[in-house]
Amino acid sequence: MLARICSGALLGINAYPVDVEVDIAQGLPQFATVGLPEGAVKESKDRVKSAIKNSGYEFPPRRITINLAPADIKKDGAAFDLPMAVGLLKAGGLIKGDRAGKYAMLGELSLDGRIKPVRGVLPISVAARHWDIEGLILPQENAAEGAIAAGPPVFAAGDLGEVVDFLNGSSDLEPLRVDPQDLFVHAATDANDFSEVAGQELAKRALEVAAAGAHNLLLVGPPGSGKTMLARRLPTILPAMNFEEALETSKIHSVVGLLRQEQALLTTRPFRHPHHTISDAGLIGGGTHPKPGEVSLAHNGLLFLDELPEFKKNVLEMLRQPLEDGSVTISRAASSLTYPADFMLVAAMNPCPCGFLGDPQHPCGCTPAMIQRYRSRLSGPLLDRIDLHIEAPRVAHKDLTATTPAESYAVIRQRVETARCIQMERLAPFGLHTNSQMQARHLKRFCRIDAKGDALMEQVVDRLGLSARSYARILKVARTIADLTEDKEISTGHLAEAIQYRGLDRKLG
């Protein structure tokens, strides 16, 4: 007998339907799986056989062939266990009627028939909106993740017996409903607050400008000056994610398996903080079966690279494409996958190998050659792609003991959200959201400067030898500064402030 059960598989962060076709024929007992199955899929036969027997059903001692269509795409993971088992029971006559063919199902089976969670449920649920099915049958731990997509009804099942009874009509499963707005309302508020940061007024102002325009930022300062503390507080002043941003970011985390059971949707912007020993595949993504890296996990959020010069140079150079394009393309012999990677880069570094260059309290023992060698680990093209280079000096004692309360993150975020609204209104016709996304044609239209400002920029470009990309970055930052004060035109003051945020250009120029 022949049975067909619908399931789904991942291709990058998108999904496609997979028909699990089960054929039971006369002949010597054999269990063959075709359709380019990988290791975990090939091992399914042992899990499925034990799950069926231990759930109280008879396993057919015949020639069994299971085809995973389309057969020209490699299939990986244990999510096909449940549809395989249901297909075998359907082909063997233990599941009656046509109901089994109307549902898509995913789930890994334990040997006793329990259905265990799998990764990638969210993108499959989003894609299932366009499939000809009546619902999705998912593991209980993944049900909320599947329901958040607002696609076909989601039914949570705990074991194989529940699924068989539901498909036979002898019992019922209630569809699970999740309201995304409830998740946003109950989202945890970050405990980190800018009011806890002593001093560093220039750095805090720079972080506000960076947040307002989604600009990349580099903090340079001695150890203990608060660089990491500032970076950890940057997400609190970023605008809240909307549902579409949250859904796209959650899809990436679902593919990697980072969504917790109680977290059906990421409602706060991600903050990724990889160690400097990370590999290129870990940062950018890759592997035999390409998986998203840290730059994609930071999509719509923030990627913080502490001790930037300590990262391998070839790893840092791979940041160029995502910083420019907002996406990462990973090519292999069999396929080429593109993952979104639209993130804010915030990096921190010491001014020299010992960390005390320019510190009045600690003399620096580094020679000019050592300093140059240390800074040369960061290439010019990479620094060009970082909009703001900010010095974070040692905090003075009077600032550490000051009793005047600093601004909280809520006050700063209100100004940031106002500036973002101005940018959205201006750039929406071009499909853009923030000033950092503007291209040359947008700069000519929205970043006009008067003769006085042009003379200032000419002087700066000639003196520091800035590249065309650095020139464009200054204009973008100046446009953001003007938006924070709700000014329609860029003034010389806005340009001057933007220029002072190019600290490394001044040092190296």
Side-chain angles (χ1 to χ4, degrees), residues 104-146:
M105 53 192 75
L106 301 165
E108 176 185 344
L109 289 176
S110 62
L111 299 184
D112 60 359
R114 289 181 295 111
I115 304 176
K116 302 171 72 173
V118 294
R119 58 181 177 82
V121 166
L122 181 56
I124 292 175
S125 300
V126 172
R129 297 170 178 172
H130 309 290
W131 300 352
D132 185 19
I133 58 175
E134 295 183 2
L136 281 166
I137 300 177
L138 301 174
Q140 290 179 343
E141 292 86 347
N142 294 128
E145 180 185 342

Side-chain angles (χ1 to χ4, degrees), residues 126-421:
V126 172
R129 297 170 178 172
H130 309 290
W131 300 352
D132 185 19
I133 58 175
E134 295 183 2
L136 281 166
I137 300 177
L138 301 174
Q140 290 179 343
E141 292 86 347
N142 294 128
E145 180 185 342
I148 202 71
V154 170
F155 301 90
D159 56 56
L160 181 59
E162 286 185 29
V163 177
V164 174
D165 292 341
F166 172 68
L167 296 176
N168 279 328
S170 57
S171 68
D172 200 13
L173 295 175
E174 289 296 325
L176 180 67
R177 292 179 176 84
V178 178
D179 186 357
Q181 297 306 318
D182 289 341
L183 298 178
F184 282 98
V185 169
H186 296 98
T189 302
D190 201 311
N192 296 325
D193 196 337
F194 265 79
S195 61
E196 300 168 348
V197 181
Q200 300 294 8
E201 298 305 323
L202 174 62
K204 286 192 282 189
R205 167 63 178 175
L207 262 66
E208 179 180 342
V209 172
H215 299 291
N216 301 318
L217 175 76
L218 173 61
L219 294 167
V220 184
S225 59
K227 302 186 295 295
T228 302
M229 187 179 187
L230 285 163
R232 289 191 179 278
R233 280 151 180 76
L234 181 55
T236 65
I237 63 173
L238 293 174
M241 284 201 295
N242 57 41
F243 178 71
E244 291 303 321
E245 287 179 323
L247 191 63
E248 188 175 27
T249 305
S250 300
K251 284 171 63 178
I252 302 171
H253 285 247
S254 176
V255 167
V256 183
L258 294 181
L259 278 184
R260 302 188 302 272
Q261 178 182 346
E262 68 277 7
Q263 186 183 33
L265 190 74
L266 285 177
T267 53
T268 56
R269 296 189 181 275
F271 178 87
R272 304 297 299 180
H273 182 190
H275 193 260
H276 65 261
T277 56
I278 192 171
S279 65
D280 50 359
L283 185 65
I284 304 299
T288 306
H289 305 287
K291 295 291 188 295
E294 290 291 338
V295 296
S296 295
L297 293 172
H299 181 60
N300 288 323
L302 190 148
L303 177 67
F304 177 48
L305 302 182
D306 201 3
E307 303 297 342
L308 188 63
E310 301 300 329
F311 285 79
K312 298 175 184 176
K313 190 165 185 177
N314 68 303
V315 173
L316 291 179
E317 293 306 305
M318 289 185 175
L319 287 172
R320 293 192 196 181
Q321 183 202 356
L323 287 176
E324 284 291 322
D325 302 336
S327 62
V328 169
T329 300
I330 304 171
S331 297
R332 294 292 182 267
S335 64
S336 179
L337 298 177
T338 298
Y339 291 110
D342 188 4
F343 60 93
M344 275 183 61
L345 173 65
V346 176
M349 62 177 286
N350 296 329
C352 65
C354 75
F356 297 114
L357 179 65
D359 188 343
Q361 303 297 325
H362 297 83
C364 173
C366 302
T367 64
M370 293 170 61
I371 297 173
Q372 181 61 33
R373 188 162 52 249
Y374 178 75
R375 293 191 176 183
S376 66
R377 299 178 189 176
L378 307 179
S379 67
L382 179 62
L383 288 175
D384 273 353
R385 288 168 169 82
I386 300 178
D387 306 55
L388 294 86
H389 311 155
I390 307 303
E391 295 184 20
R394 179 174 300 279
V395 181
H397 177 265
K398 64 176 182 179
D399 293 325
L400 290 173
T401 57
T403 57
T404 305
E407 283 186 314
S408 70
Y409 76 93
V411 176
I412 301 174
R413 184 166 64 183
Q414 183 61 48
R415 294 197 295 266
V416 169
E417 290 178 342
T418 301
R420 286 282 185 106
C421 289

